[in-house]
Amino acid sequence: MLDAVFIRFFIVPLHLLSRDSISMNNKIRHEGIIDSIERECVHVRILQTSACASCKVAGYCNAAEAKEKIVDVYHTDFSGLKVGDSVVVSTSGDVAARALLWAFGFPFILMVLVLVLVLWQTGNEGIAAVCGLLALVPYYGLLFLLRHRMRRQMAFVLE
């Protein structure tokens, strides 16, 4: 319970918690357009906006930001869907928090841990910094190898 609270308030970026993208039942939702359909996957183009981008005066402000992303949706009934259809892509807030933890939280802890241990052993900050960064190579390599397993656990669905 404490982990979920920590993740929700300190790790999940604000754009995931904006009024437009999260509903009352803790689901993150984005409207999008089907870009392409493959055998087991639908590629949906979404416009990810910051809270500022939906503001009425966003055109006059440099802080407004919007990014176009392609989201892959697997293992869904694709009957009746065609390229160009408007759909809603969703996932739970827990899935988003878990993905952020695997992508940024654990690597940060690993890097700091290796940095401190190597600095303690060698006393050389340069070597410690390089070792801290190099520790991320096998971590992200392992994530790459486990991507298919993680895809099943952290999936988007079409509503």
Side-chain angles (χ1 to χ4, degrees):
M1 178 67 177
L2 183 61
D3 292 339
V5 171
F6 176 78
I7 291 169
R8 183 140 307 122
F9 289 107
F10 295 108
I11 296 179
V12 177
L14 291 177
H15 75 273
L16 292 177
L17 297 176
S18 68
R19 282 181 295 154
D20 298 333
S21 64
I22 192 163
S23 63
M24 292 301 191
N25 59 359
N26 198 23
K27 279 198 156 200
I28 297 170
R29 304 174 68 211
H30 288 285
E31 292 181 13
I33 297 173
I34 296 178
D35 196 45
S36 64
I37 301 174
E38 295 177 3
R39 282 180 283 137
E40 297 177 354
C41 179
V42 173
H43 304 285
V44 179
R45 183 179 309 273
I46 63 170
L47 186 64
Q48 182 182 14
T49 58
S50 68
C52 296
S54 61
C55 177
K56 292 178 183 175
V57 294
Y60 304 105
C61 177
N62 291 334
E65 176 184 325
K67 296 178 185 174
E68 196 172 85
K69 305 250 182 181
I70 301 291
V71 175
D72 297 336
V73 181
Y74 293 92
H75 307 296
T76 304
D77 180 24
F78 303 145
S79 61
L81 296 177
K82 62 184 185 299
V83 174
D85 283 353
S86 182
V87 294
V88 176
V89 178
S90 69
T91 191
S92 70
D94 293 336
V95 168
R98 196 175 323 131
L100 287 168
L101 192 62
W102 280 104
F104 303 110
F106 292 143
F108 176 73
I109 292 168
L110 174 67
M111 185 174 62
V112 170
L113 184 66
V114 169
L115 180 86
V116 168
L117 289 174
V118 173
L119 183 61
W120 178 62
Q121 288 291 323
T122 65
N124 188 330
E125 292 177 358
I127 293 174
V130 170
C131 288
L133 291 173
L134 288 177
L136 298 178
V137 173
Y139 177 81
Y140 282 116
L142 183 63
L143 282 186
F144 179 77
L145 293 174
L146 297 174
R147 70 187 180 279
H148 298 295
R149 174 186 262 184
M150 295 181 91
R151 179 186 305 156
R152 288 190 299 260
Q153 296 172 357
M154 296 183 233
F156 288 96
V157 294
L158 294 178
E159 291 184 356

mmCIF file of all heavy atoms in Angstrom, residues 8-30:
data_model
loop_
_atom_site.group_PDB
_atom_site.id
_atom_site.type_symbol
_atom_site.label_atom_id
_atom_site.label_comp_id
_atom_site.label_asym_id
_atom_site.label_seq_id
_atom_site.Cartn_x
_atom_site.Cartn_y
_atom_site.Cartn_z
ATOM 1 N N ARG A 8 2.545 6.641 -6.885
ATOM 2 C CA ARG A 8 1.542 7.539 -7.435
ATOM 3 C C ARG A 8 1.921 9.004 -7.259
ATOM 4 O O ARG A 8 1.687 9.813 -8.134
ATOM 5 C CB ARG A 8 0.200 7.254 -6.776
ATOM 6 C CG ARG A 8 -0.886 8.096 -7.355
ATOM 7 C CD ARG A 8 -2.219 7.429 -7.557
ATOM 8 N NE ARG A 8 -2.123 6.209 -8.315
ATOM 9 C CZ ARG A 8 -2.528 5.040 -7.856
ATOM 10 N NH1 ARG A 8 -3.031 4.910 -6.669
ATOM 11 N NH2 ARG A 8 -2.439 3.967 -8.597
ATOM 12 N N PHE A 9 2.514 9.371 -6.137
ATOM 13 C CA PHE A 9 2.787 10.774 -5.872
ATOM 14 C C PHE A 9 4.195 11.223 -6.239
ATOM 15 O O PHE A 9 4.420 12.405 -6.422
ATOM 16 C CB PHE A 9 2.498 11.110 -4.411
ATOM 17 C CG PHE A 9 1.042 11.100 -4.108
ATOM 18 C CD1 PHE A 9 0.487 10.080 -3.371
ATOM 19 C CD2 PHE A 9 0.216 12.093 -4.593
ATOM 20 C CE1 PHE A 9 -0.863 10.054 -3.098
ATOM 21 C CE2 PHE A 9 -1.139 12.070 -4.332
ATOM 22 C CZ PHE A 9 -1.676 11.058 -3.584
ATOM 23 N N PHE A 10 5.140 10.301 -6.331
ATOM 24 C CA PHE A 10 6.508 10.722 -6.586
ATOM 25 C C PHE A 10 7.086 10.239 -7.906
ATOM 26 O O PHE A 10 8.066 10.788 -8.368
ATOM 27 C CB PHE A 10 7.423 10.263 -5.443
ATOM 28 C CG PHE A 10 7.079 10.927 -4.151
ATOM 29 C CD1 PHE A 10 6.467 10.214 -3.141
ATOM 30 C CD2 PHE A 10 7.339 12.268 -3.950
ATOM 31 C CE1 PHE A 10 6.138 10.824 -1.945
ATOM 32 C CE2 PHE A 10 7.006 12.884 -2.770
ATOM 33 C CZ PHE A 10 6.401 12.164 -1.757
ATOM 34 N N ILE A 11 6.518 9.217 -8.507
ATOM 35 C CA ILE A 11 7.092 8.678 -9.731
ATOM 36 C C ILE A 11 6.206 8.927 -10.940
ATOM 37 O O ILE A 11 6.699 9.253 -11.999
ATOM 38 C CB ILE A 11 7.399 7.170 -9.573
ATOM 39 C CG1 ILE A 11 8.470 7.002 -8.499
ATOM 40 C CG2 ILE A 11 7.853 6.574 -10.875
ATOM 41 C CD1 ILE A 11 8.851 5.584 -8.229
ATOM 42 N N VAL A 12 4.890 8.801 -10.822
ATOM 43 C CA VAL A 12 4.001 8.969 -11.955
ATOM 44 C C VAL A 12 4.001 10.434 -12.370
ATOM 45 O O VAL A 12 3.721 11.303 -11.567
ATOM 46 C CB VAL A 12 2.560 8.508 -11.612
ATOM 47 C CG1 VAL A 12 1.630 8.760 -12.772
ATOM 48 C CG2 VAL A 12 2.560 7.049 -11.225
ATOM 49 N N PRO A 13 4.339 10.720 -13.632
ATOM 50 C CA PRO A 13 4.365 12.112 -14.076
ATOM 51 C C PRO A 13 2.976 12.736 -14.045
ATOM 52 O O PRO A 13 1.970 12.059 -14.117
ATOM 53 C CB PRO A 13 4.876 12.029 -15.505
ATOM 54 C CG PRO A 13 5.247 10.638 -15.761
ATOM 55 C CD PRO A 13 4.774 9.790 -14.636
ATOM 56 N N LEU A 14 2.952 14.052 -13.966
ATOM 57 C CA LEU A 14 1.688 14.766 -13.843
ATOM 58 C C LEU A 14 0.779 14.589 -15.045
ATOM 59 O O LEU A 14 -0.431 14.602 -14.912
ATOM 60 C CB LEU A 14 1.966 16.256 -13.612
ATOM 61 C CG LEU A 14 2.583 16.576 -12.260
ATOM 62 C CD1 LEU A 14 2.885 18.067 -12.190
ATOM 63 C CD2 LEU A 14 1.688 16.158 -11.137
ATOM 64 N N HIS A 15 1.339 14.412 -16.252
ATOM 65 C CA HIS A 15 0.466 14.260 -17.412
ATOM 66 C C HIS A 15 -0.364 12.983 -17.336
ATOM 67 O O HIS A 15 -1.411 12.893 -17.947
ATOM 68 C CB HIS A 15 1.249 14.320 -18.722
ATOM 69 C CG HIS A 15 2.025 13.086 -19.007
ATOM 70 N ND1 HIS A 15 3.309 12.898 -18.527
ATOM 71 C CD2 HIS A 15 1.717 11.973 -19.700
ATOM 72 C CE1 HIS A 15 3.754 11.736 -18.929
ATOM 73 N NE2 HIS A 15 2.814 11.144 -19.632
ATOM 74 N N LEU A 16 0.085 11.990 -16.582
ATOM 75 C CA LEU A 16 -0.704 10.780 -16.422
ATOM 76 C C LEU A 16 -1.833 10.969 -15.419
ATOM 77 O O LEU A 16 -2.757 10.189 -15.367
ATOM 78 C CB LEU A 16 0.176 9.621 -15.972
ATOM 79 C CG LEU A 16 1.193 9.130 -16.991
ATOM 80 C CD1 LEU A 16 2.040 8.031 -16.388
ATOM 81 C CD2 LEU A 16 0.520 8.653 -18.249
ATOM 82 N N LEU A 17 -1.737 11.993 -14.598
ATOM 83 C CA LEU A 17 -2.750 12.233 -13.589
ATOM 84 C C LEU A 17 -3.645 13.409 -13.924
ATOM 85 O O LEU A 17 -4.385 13.882 -13.094
ATOM 86 C CB LEU A 17 -2.074 12.485 -12.233
ATOM 87 C CG LEU A 17 -1.266 11.320 -11.695
ATOM 88 C CD1 LEU A 17 -0.578 11.716 -10.400
ATOM 89 C CD2 LEU A 17 -2.127 10.113 -11.478
ATOM 90 N N SER A 18 -3.597 13.908 -15.149
ATOM 91 C CA SER A 18 -4.408 15.058 -15.516
ATOM 92 C C SER A 18 -5.878 14.660 -15.593
ATOM 93 O O SER A 18 -6.223 13.487 -15.728
ATOM 94 C CB SER A 18 -3.957 15.638 -16.852
ATOM 95 O OG SER A 18 -4.253 14.739 -17.894
ATOM 96 N N ARG A 19 -6.758 15.656 -15.534
ATOM 97 C CA ARG A 19 -8.195 15.393 -15.551
ATOM 98 C C ARG A 19 -8.630 14.681 -16.813
ATOM 99 O O ARG A 19 -9.524 13.853 -16.797
ATOM 100 C CB ARG A 19 -8.962 16.709 -15.463
ATOM 101 C CG ARG A 19 -9.037 17.295 -14.114
ATOM 102 C CD ARG A 19 -9.834 18.552 -14.169
ATOM 103 N NE ARG A 19 -9.084 19.507 -14.988
ATOM 104 C CZ ARG A 19 -9.619 20.495 -15.664
ATOM 105 N NH1 ARG A 19 -10.905 20.686 -15.639
ATOM 106 N NH2 ARG A 19 -8.885 21.309 -16.367
ATOM 107 N N ASP A 20 -8.011 14.982 -17.955
ATOM 108 C CA ASP A 20 -8.448 14.432 -19.221
ATOM 109 C C ASP A 20 -8.060 12.977 -19.419
ATOM 110 O O ASP A 20 -8.701 12.259 -20.151
ATOM 111 C CB ASP A 20 -7.862 15.249 -20.376
ATOM 112 C CG ASP A 20 -8.336 16.683 -20.338
ATOM 113 O OD1 ASP A 20 -9.447 16.908 -19.806
ATOM 114 O OD2 ASP A 20 -7.611 17.564 -20.820
ATOM 115 N N SER A 21 -6.990 12.526 -18.775
ATOM 116 C CA SER A 21 -6.492 11.199 -19.092
ATOM 117 C C SER A 21 -6.767 10.149 -18.022
ATOM 118 O O SER A 21 -6.534 8.986 -18.253
ATOM 119 C CB SER A 21 -4.985 11.257 -19.357
ATOM 120 O OG SER A 21 -4.323 11.649 -18.179
ATOM 121 N N ILE A 22 -7.251 10.534 -16.853
ATOM 122 C CA ILE A 22 -7.496 9.530 -15.814
ATOM 123 C C ILE A 22 -8.935 9.658 -15.334
ATOM 124 O O ILE A 22 -9.431 10.743 -15.118
ATOM 125 C CB ILE A 22 -6.496 9.663 -14.647
ATOM 126 C CG1 ILE A 22 -6.569 8.442 -13.747
ATOM 127 C CG2 ILE A 22 -6.711 10.904 -13.847
ATOM 128 C CD1 ILE A 22 -5.357 8.301 -12.839
ATOM 129 N N SER A 23 -9.603 8.522 -15.235
ATOM 130 C CA SER A 23 -10.992 8.537 -14.802
ATOM 131 C C SER A 23 -11.076 8.164 -13.335
ATOM 132 O O SER A 23 -10.088 7.836 -12.706
ATOM 133 C CB SER A 23 -11.807 7.562 -15.664
ATOM 134 O OG SER A 23 -11.343 6.253 -15.475
ATOM 135 N N MET A 24 -12.275 8.183 -12.811
ATOM 136 C CA MET A 24 -12.473 7.941 -11.385
ATOM 137 C C MET A 24 -12.107 6.517 -10.966
ATOM 138 O O MET A 24 -11.775 6.277 -9.833
ATOM 139 C CB MET A 24 -13.926 8.215 -10.999
ATOM 140 C CG MET A 24 -14.282 9.654 -11.084
ATOM 141 S SD MET A 24 -13.220 10.595 -9.992
ATOM 142 C CE MET A 24 -14.014 12.147 -10.019
ATOM 143 N N ASN A 25 -12.149 5.556 -11.890
ATOM 144 C CA ASN A 25 -11.839 4.183 -11.516
ATOM 145 C C ASN A 25 -10.364 3.854 -11.732
ATOM 146 O O ASN A 25 -10.017 2.711 -11.947
ATOM 147 C CB ASN A 25 -12.743 3.203 -12.263
ATOM 148 C CG ASN A 25 -12.601 3.329 -13.760
ATOM 149 O OD1 ASN A 25 -11.842 4.161 -14.256
ATOM 150 N ND2 ASN A 25 -13.329 2.515 -14.483
ATOM 151 N N ASN A 26 -9.506 4.858 -11.684
ATOM 152 C CA ASN A 26 -8.055 4.691 -11.752
ATOM 153 C C ASN A 26 -7.605 4.098 -13.077
ATOM 154 O O ASN A 26 -6.696 3.279 -13.123
ATOM 155 C CB ASN A 26 -7.561 3.844 -10.580
ATOM 156 C CG ASN A 26 -6.078 4.001 -10.363
ATOM 157 O OD1 ASN A 26 -5.487 4.996 -10.769
ATOM 158 N ND2 ASN A 26 -5.475 3.026 -9.728
ATOM 159 N N LYS A 27 -8.234 4.490 -14.172
ATOM 160 C CA LYS A 27 -7.828 4.057 -15.502
ATOM 161 C C LYS A 27 -7.284 5.251 -16.256
ATOM 162 O O LYS A 27 -7.850 6.334 -16.212
ATOM 163 C CB LYS A 27 -9.012 3.472 -16.275
ATOM 164 C CG LYS A 27 -9.316 2.070 -15.928
ATOM 165 C CD LYS A 27 -10.153 1.468 -17.006
ATOM 166 C CE LYS A 27 -9.943 -0.012 -16.949
ATOM 167 N NZ LYS A 27 -10.288 -0.676 -18.157
ATOM 168 N N ILE A 28 -6.180 5.032 -16.928
ATOM 169 C CA ILE A 28 -5.608 6.063 -17.779
ATOM 170 C C ILE A 28 -6.157 5.833 -19.174
ATOM 171 O O ILE A 28 -6.053 4.736 -19.722
ATOM 172 C CB ILE A 28 -4.077 5.978 -17.752
ATOM 173 C CG1 ILE A 28 -3.590 6.251 -16.339
ATOM 174 C CG2 ILE A 28 -3.476 6.953 -18.748
ATOM 175 C CD1 ILE A 28 -2.141 5.972 -16.133
ATOM 176 N N ARG A 29 -6.749 6.862 -19.743
ATOM 177 C CA ARG A 29 -7.428 6.741 -21.033
ATOM 178 C C ARG A 29 -6.916 7.823 -21.967
ATOM 179 O O ARG A 29 -6.716 8.955 -21.560
ATOM 180 C CB ARG A 29 -8.928 6.886 -20.853
ATOM 181 C CG ARG A 29 -9.509 5.913 -19.864
ATOM 182 C CD ARG A 29 -10.963 6.189 -19.611
ATOM 183 N NE ARG A 29 -11.699 5.878 -20.823
ATOM 184 C CZ ARG A 29 -12.805 6.495 -21.190
ATOM 185 N NH1 ARG A 29 -13.297 7.456 -20.467
ATOM 186 N NH2 ARG A 29 -13.416 6.161 -22.295
ATOM 187 N N HIS A 30 -6.743 7.450 -23.228
ATOM 188 C CA HIS A 30 -6.373 8.404 -24.264
ATOM 189 C C HIS A 30 -7.185 8.092 -25.506
ATOM 190 O O HIS A 30 -7.317 6.927 -25.888
ATOM 191 C CB HIS A 30 -4.884 8.310 -24.618
ATOM 192 C CG HIS A 30 -3.978 8.838 -23.569
ATOM 193 N ND1 HIS A 30 -3.799 10.185 -23.344
ATOM 194 C CD2 HIS A 30 -3.179 8.204 -22.689
ATOM 195 C CE1 HIS A 30 -2.923 10.347 -22.365
ATOM 196 N NE2 HIS A 30 -2.547 9.160 -21.939
#
